[in-house]
Amino acid sequence: MTTATLNAVMNGGGGATGQKTVLITGVSRGLGKALALEMAKRGHSVIGCSRSQDKLTSLQSEIASEPSSSSEKHLFLNADVCSNSSVQELARVVMEKKGVPDIIVNNAGTINKNNRLWEVPEEEFNAVIDTNLKGIANILRHFIPLMIEKKQGILVNMSSGWGRSAAAQVAPYCASKWAVEGLTKSVAKELPTGMAVVALNPGVINTDMLASCFGSSSSLYQAPDSWAPKAADMILNLTMADNGSSLSV
C-alpha cells in the first residue's frame, strides 16, 4: 500500500487535504450556520438543510458572496430531520446532485424551556427527542449505507457538555444528548473500516439555545463565528482512528 493510499484510508478518504463535500443539518442559525459559512470560506462544498426556507435562501446568498464560492458549488435544501420520509428525499436529492458527502455534521437541535421535568409539556419533550435523537437516527439510516458503498465517510453527531453531565431544568435536553453519546458509541461498533462516527461537544457558545437557558449571561460566552474555525479544524482532521470517540471543541 502506498503512503498516499494509506493516508487516504486513515483519513476516511482524504483527511483535511483537498476539497470536501460537507453536509450540515440545521444551518438556518447558530452553530450550523457559522460552520456552513466557515466550510464554504475554506473552499469546501456545503450541503445545508433546514426547515426554514427563508433562512436557507438568506444563507445561500451569503455563502455565494464568498470569493471561493458560487451558487453551483453548494446545495441548500428544505428538510425536516424529524421526518424519516423528508430525510429519505433529502438523501435522494443529495445523491442526484452532489453524490455521497465526505462528512456529515448532525447539528440540528432544540432545547426545552427551563422547567422541571414534570412541568415540561409532552409536545415540548417530544420535540426535543424527535429533533436531537431521532433526527440523527434518520440521517444515519439513509446516509450510512451510501457511505458504506463508497467505503469512506466521517459522521459527527453534535452532543453537549450536558450529554456527559446533568443539570436541573433541562432534563429532556440532557436525556437526548446522553442518548446521542450512547447511539454514537454503538453505531461506531457497526461501521466498517474506512469510516468513523464521533460525538462532538461544541462547548458553551452564545446561541439562541444558550440564551433560553442562561438569559442575558449567555453573551459572556464566545459567538458562533469565533467557534466555527476551531470546530472546522477539528472536524476536517477527523480520521477513522477517532471512531466512537467523545470529543470536545
Side-chain angles (χ1 to χ4, degrees), residues 193-212:
T193 300
M195 293 180 64
V197 59
V198 304
L200 183 62
N201 166 23
V204 185
I205 319 296
N206 181 18
T207 62
D208 291 343
M209 282 176 56
L210 189 70
S212 78

Side-chain angles (χ1 to χ4, degrees), residues 197-238:
V197 59
V198 304
L200 183 62
N201 166 23
V204 185
I205 319 296
N206 181 18
T207 62
D208 291 343
M209 282 176 56
L210 189 70
S212 78
C213 304
F214 286 18
S216 59
S217 64
S218 64
S219 62
L220 299 173
Y221 297 90
Q222 66 177 320
D225 57 355
S226 298
W227 166 88
K230 293 175 284 187
D233 284 343
M234 176 174 280
I235 290 168
L236 290 168
N237 282 286
L238 290 170

Side-chain angles (χ1 to χ4, degrees), residues 25-167:
T25 67
V27 295
S28 64
R29 60 180 181 171
L31 303 187
K33 179 179 180 181
L35 187 59
L37 286 166
E38 181 65 26
M39 290 294 189
K41 187 188 300 182
R42 296 183 183 210
H44 300 290
S45 179
V46 175
I47 303 168
C49 71
S50 167
R51 291 181 296 184
S52 172
Q53 185 58 56
D54 289 347
K55 290 180 179 178
L56 278 176
T57 302
S58 175
L59 177 60
Q60 188 168 15
S61 299
E62 194 172 347
I63 283 185
S65 68
E66 292 287 341
S68 60
S69 294
S70 67
S71 56
E72 297 80 23
K73 188 171 186 176
H74 310 290
L75 180 64
F76 296 92
L77 299 166
N78 189 289
D80 181 0
V81 297
C82 300
S83 164
N84 184 62
S85 60
S86 181
V87 174
Q88 184 175 31
E89 177 62 11
L90 173 70
R92 187 193 68 76
V93 176
V94 167
M95 281 298 293
E96 179 184 299
K97 296 184 179 293
K98 291 291 182 181
V100 183
D102 298 299
I103 300 169
I104 294 177
V105 182
N106 280 308
N107 165 77
T110 189
I111 196 167
N112 60 285
K113 293 177 184 175
N114 284 8
N115 239 331
R116 294 176 296 184
L117 176 65
W118 55 94
E119 294 171 335
V120 175
E122 178 188 5
E123 300 76 19
E124 200 173 319
F125 186 96
N126 289 346
V128 171
I129 299 301
D130 287 350
T131 305
N132 297 1
L133 180 58
K134 292 183 181 178
I136 289 178
N138 287 336
I139 292 288
L140 299 184
R141 179 180 299 115
H142 292 288
F143 282 93
I144 283 180
L146 304 176
M147 287 180 155
I148 288 175
E149 193 170 327
K150 194 178 177 183
K151 298 181 180 178
Q152 66 181 54
I154 299 293
L155 299 143
V156 179
N157 297 333
M158 281 298 192
S159 180
S160 169
W162 282 341
R164 303 165 193 173
S165 63

